[in-house]
Amino acid sequence: MKIRIMGTRAETDDAVKVLRLAFDVLEVSDFRPNRGDSRLGRVYVEANPPADPLPGT
């Protein structure tokens, strides 16, 4: 899976931390600022879904 996360640097850092709890994260790009005068940017994540998506069921 390829996932794009957009937000501030802090928001994208937090989102990657959450993704690591739910997915097998293989790679995370550097923060890439958006064009122009924006505080926002993006991070690209490559991840695999968990082997057992619903443990205990």
Side-chain angles (χ1 to χ4, degrees):
M1 281 181 153
K2 293 188 180 191
I3 304 164
R4 179 175 64 184
I5 303 169
M6 295 183 66
T8 64
R9 185 179 299 267
E11 289 170 339
T12 59
D13 287 347
D14 290 344
V16 168
K17 289 175 187 172
V18 172
L19 282 176
R20 288 185 188 279
L21 297 174
F23 291 88
D24 177 20
V25 174
L26 305 172
E27 187 174 331
V28 178
S29 73
D30 292 333
F31 181 82
R32 299 176 185 178
N34 287 344
R35 295 182 187 124
D37 189 24
S38 177
R39 296 182 317 123
L40 304 180
R42 60 208 179 275
V43 172
Y44 297 92
V45 178
E46 188 167 336
N48 289 327
D52 186 6
L54 300 173
T57 59

